[in-house]
Amino acid sequence: MPISAELLIRNGLFPETLPSVYTARAIWAALPVVATPYAVGGPAVGQLCNYDSSKRGGLRRMFAVPHPLFIRDQGVFFERHWTTLEACFAAAPGSTSHFIMDGAGYRHIRITPHSELPRIRLTSLSRFTFCLTADVSRCYYSIYTHSIPWAIHGKAASKLDTNSNSATVFGNRLDYAVRQAQSRQTLGIPVGPDVSKVIAEIVMSGVDKRMIELSGGQPPTYVRHVDDYWIGGHSHAECERYLANLRLALNDFSLDINELKTRIVSTKLVFGEKWPSQIKDAITQKFLPYRDADADSVAVLGMIVEQAVENNDDGIIKRAIRVFDRLRLWHGHWELLEHFLAQCAVQFPHSFDYVARVVAWRIRTGTPINRDLWIDIARTTAVHDGSLGRDSEVCWAIWLLKELGSRLPRKITDVIAEHASPLVLAFLVHFARHRMASDRRLIEKLRDRVEGDCFAGEYWPLTLELYHLHEEDANWAAAGTVPVLRSLHENRISIIDWGARPRVFETDGPARRRPPSRAIENIGSDYAEDEEEKEEEDEDAEAADLGQLGDEFPC
């Protein structure tokens, strides 16, 4: 399907890793109707709402959500100029960041999944002895917005014409829409919105084109996925030449190579990792077919944890949880696996969202859980991670408490209200409205958090929910924000669907008489490197062979 500005908001605005209560369904209809193609003019300036999220290896990733009006204009730009942009993408033959447009899924835009990369690297680089591996240092955060028209029109032409309304260098309009969304800053693009995937690919395709030009009569054979490069070479010296050209090409677009992740290695080392298959085989051997838990079962769990610790990679934990889910092992081994999940949530925070999904799924399907255990873990997580500003863990912890039907005591809401992202606070408002928070002054405290432009500043998700619930500050109406940026609030729409079920209940097949047999939906996140979507069909077949697809829920 063609790219759609509406769907870039409806299914591409918020970070992919949020709970199902977040929704952008009502936004498009509430945006202002404008006479010109673009709604953003000089006075319309927004600020990004940041959201701190966990990442593999104990690292953090800062997602950011612009005011939707700026996403609308970027989407309109893509609709109008997609043919030209496709020509830019075609100039990067080694790119695997191919866009898959989806009109019905969670995201409007997907790119080639990580699970496909080992096959692509093998088929593309099998003739070479050596491989240069490299990536761009802080790619999204380092993209210079003026380099967007450079990639579309050429650097020289873009520097001669910087008019944001230029009919010739029309890429200036996209540069302008990005800058206006982030306080006119030219450094970086927000991580999370689907529009940023397109913008990053525009710039990186320009880098690829320049790298190929610099290589002259010996263009490189390479694979690039977003900002990760694998370049084949018949000798170490050949790889070094390509590295020099890559550095120059990146420099032309004001980007830098990540020296810590740049190396020349034997090509046999870049095809893929073996740990996903090892984990799957170990779980299958000791947990299928169903049998009572024994020392060997516990040893498998210990092996998974040990491997995650030794490699400093909690993506291993998420992969293991995924395997247990795909093989439908929760019911037969819950007495043991519940405590394994508890340790995962406590020791490996990056896995908390998967753990929360499994527990919520059991609650929703009427199967037993240790409620006191999960309330304790979720509350402890909310307080500890809340004090550190770790938004993703806090968001999933309070979502799990909602699913558990557990009210939030004031010691938790005070910590969250003081430290959390406005995106989390927008959710927290509804705990007060649904009498799921003990602090009667919670909404007042949340109003007091708001600083700056209440309509388009960083707190816009929080103020939007306060307007929706008619709990706004009366003084906000006098703000000097331009009318086009007030529309969402004036329509009192909401980005929180309090009653939303976990997504697996919405997507695990058509309407049915039975609940879903799995706890975790097909996430397929472009920001979750631990996903191995390609293996799911194989796991389905294996479970069927072992007679597990008929696994019934307790009556």
Side-chain angles (χ1 to χ4, degrees):
M1 65 173 297
I3 195 165
S4 163
E6 179 178 354
L7 291 176
L8 283 168
I9 292 177
R10 183 189 297 270
N11 297 333
L13 175 65
F14 295 125
E16 305 177 26
T17 53
L18 290 174
S20 57
V21 293
Y22 288 86
T23 175
R25 287 192 299 268
I27 290 177
W28 182 262
L31 290 173
V33 177
V34 293
T36 57
Y38 298 111
V40 176
V45 179
Q47 192 172 352
L48 300 178
C49 172
N50 291 324
Y51 176 84
D52 180 85
S53 182
S54 64
K55 188 179 177 181
R56 281 176 75 169
L59 302 176
R60 310 298 298 179
R61 173 184 279 119
M62 187 63 73
F63 288 108
V65 185
H67 187 282
L69 187 73
F70 302 96
I71 300 294
R72 177 229 178 252
D73 271 23
Q74 293 170 45
V76 169
F77 177 90
F78 295 146
E79 288 181 346
R80 291 164 63 90
H81 300 292
W82 193 250
T83 300
T84 300
L85 296 181
E86 286 183 318
C88 295
F89 303 146
S95 173
T96 63
S97 305
H98 301 141
F99 298 124
I100 305 164
M101 308 299 179
D102 189 345
Y106 303 140
R107 307 301 296 190
H108 179 40
I109 293 181
R110 290 288 187 200
I111 61 175
T112 305
H114 289 85
S115 58
E116 290 286 333
L117 295 182
R119 179 190 61 79
I120 294 172
R121 290 195 294 263
L122 175 60
T123 56
S124 300
L125 305 174
S126 59
R127 75 188 69 179
F128 297 103
T129 306
F130 294 95
C131 181
L132 165 65
T133 66
D135 69 6
V136 180
S137 179
R138 293 175 54 80
C139 181
Y140 276 52
Y141 308 106
S142 299
I143 287 177
Y144 183 46
T145 65
H146 291 335
S147 71
I148 299 170
W150 298 354
I152 299 173
H153 307 283
K155 194 170 184 178
S158 299
K159 282 183 172 289
L160 289 173
D161 182 356
T162 59
N163 185 349
S164 61
N165 293 313
S166 172
T168 305
V169 185
F170 52 80
N172 289 340
R173 185 69 210 191
L174 181 57
D175 170 18
Y176 175 78
V178 174
R179 283 186 283 117
Q180 294 297 105
Q182 51 195 35
S183 306
R184 298 192 177 99
Q185 292 183 20
T186 58
L187 182 62
I189 61 174
V191 179
D194 280 4
V195 291
S196 291
K197 299 175 188 175
V198 180
I199 294 168
E201 185 61 17
I202 292 171
V203 174
M204 292 309 301
S205 293
V207 172
D208 289 8
K209 180 181 179 181
R210 182 59 180 149
M211 177 182 67
I212 293 169
E213 291 171 350
L214 289 168
S215 299
Q218 291 184 309
T221 299
Y222 72 101
V223 173
R224 176 177 57 78
H225 189 261
V226 189
D227 65 329
D228 292 310
Y229 282 91
W230 296 268
I231 304 176
H234 295 292
S235 67
H236 198 279
E238 185 179 5
C239 288
E240 286 182 330
R241 287 197 300 273
Y242 291 139
L243 175 57
N245 292 335
L246 177 58
R247 283 197 178 104
L248 289 172
L250 288 168
N251 185 257
D252 275 355
F253 285 84
S254 298
L255 294 169
D256 293 315
I257 205 165
N258 186 341
E259 299 291 351
L260 293 177
K261 293 185 177 180
T262 299
R263 57 183 61 87
I264 297 172
V265 299
S266 170
T267 308
K268 64 187 177 185
L269 301 177
V270 302
F271 295 141
E273 296 176 304
K274 61 183 180 180
W275 64 260
S277 295
Q278 291 175 335
I279 287 176
K280 176 185 169 185
D281 292 344
I283 291 173
T284 301
Q285 182 179 356
K286 296 302 179 183
F287 287 86
L288 277 174
Y290 287 148
R291 63 186 70 177
D292 292 335
D294 56 20
D296 287 344
S297 301
V298 177
V300 168
L301 302 180
M303 177 271 293
I304 293 168
V305 171
E306 182 180 359
Q307 194 165 357
V309 172
E310 287 182 353
N311 291 278
N312 188 32
D313 187 358
D314 36 16
I316 292 172
I317 298 295
K318 296 189 80 166
R319 175 59 184 163
I321 295 173
R322 188 75 152 183
V323 171
F324 279 114
D325 192 51
R326 291 300 164 198
L327 296 177
R328 299 165 172 86
L329 294 171
W330 303 121
H331 294 310
H333 299 280
W334 185 246
E335 184 176 348
L336 175 65
L337 293 181
E338 182 173 32
H339 294 285
F340 171 67
L341 288 174
Q343 267 293 283
C344 291
V346 171
Q347 301 288 358
F348 303 98
H350 184 51
S351 71
F352 197 98
D353 62 325
Y354 274 26
V355 173
R357 284 176 170 94
V358 175
V359 176
W361 167 74
R362 287 186 66 88
I363 294 170
R364 293 271 182 164
T365 54
T367 46
I369 60 162
N370 185 333
R371 188 171 180 273
D372 291 340
L373 170 69
W374 291 111
I375 289 176
D376 181 49
I377 288 174
R379 287 184 173 182
T380 301
T381 299
V383 171
H384 176 263
D385 291 272
S387 66
L388 299 174
R390 295 174 176 170
D391 295 318
S392 59
E393 290 89 334
V394 171
C395 195
W396 281 98
I398 63 175
W399 178 82
L400 180 56
L401 288 167
K402 180 187 83 73
E403 292 292 303
L404 288 161
S406 174
R407 298 182 76 207
L408 303 184
R410 194 173 79 176
K411 69 176 182 178
I412 291 180
T413 55
D414 277 351
V415 169
I416 298 174
E418 182 178 357
H419 298 286
S421 159
L423 203 56
V424 179
L425 301 183
F427 184 21
L428 188 62
V429 168
H430 289 262
F431 282 83
R433 174 49 60 100
H434 289 87
R435 299 182 179 180
M436 288 284 289
S438 61
D439 186 359
R440 295 181 179 179
R441 296 184 58 243
L442 177 57
I443 287 182
E444 178 185 344
K445 292 177 180 178
L446 293 175
R447 275 199 301 262
D448 291 342
R449 273 291 308 273
V450 178
E451 299 176 354
D453 187 342
C454 56
F455 296 103
E458 65 175 311
Y459 286 89
W460 74 263
L462 170 59
T463 59
L464 184 61
E465 293 311 305
L466 291 171
Y467 263 86
H468 172 69
L469 298 174
H470 296 271
E471 295 284 0
E472 73 272 18
D473 188 319
N475 294 321
W476 291 346
T481 313
V482 296
V484 291
L485 289 170
R486 293 171 173 260
S487 180
L488 300 182
H489 291 70
E490 290 173 347
N491 282 281
R492 297 187 183 274
I493 68 166
S494 176
I495 58 170
I496 301 296
D497 180 1
W498 179 264
R501 299 183 299 172
R503 288 200 178 98
V504 71
F505 288 83
E506 301 170 0
T507 62
D508 194 25
R512 58 167 57 78
R513 298 174 183 173
R514 298 175 58 197
S517 59
R518 294 171 173 172
I520 303 172
E521 71 273 18
N522 293 332
I523 298 170
S525 172
D526 292 330
Y527 298 99
E529 303 92 332
D530 39 80
E531 298 300 344
E532 294 291 338
E533 294 279 332
K534 186 63 177 176
E535 294 190 14
E536 289 176 6
E537 293 180 2
D538 297 337
E539 288 166 1
D540 283 344
E542 183 169 354
D545 290 341
L546 293 166
Q548 302 306 323
L549 289 179
D551 183 24
E552 296 286 348
F553 285 80
C555 297

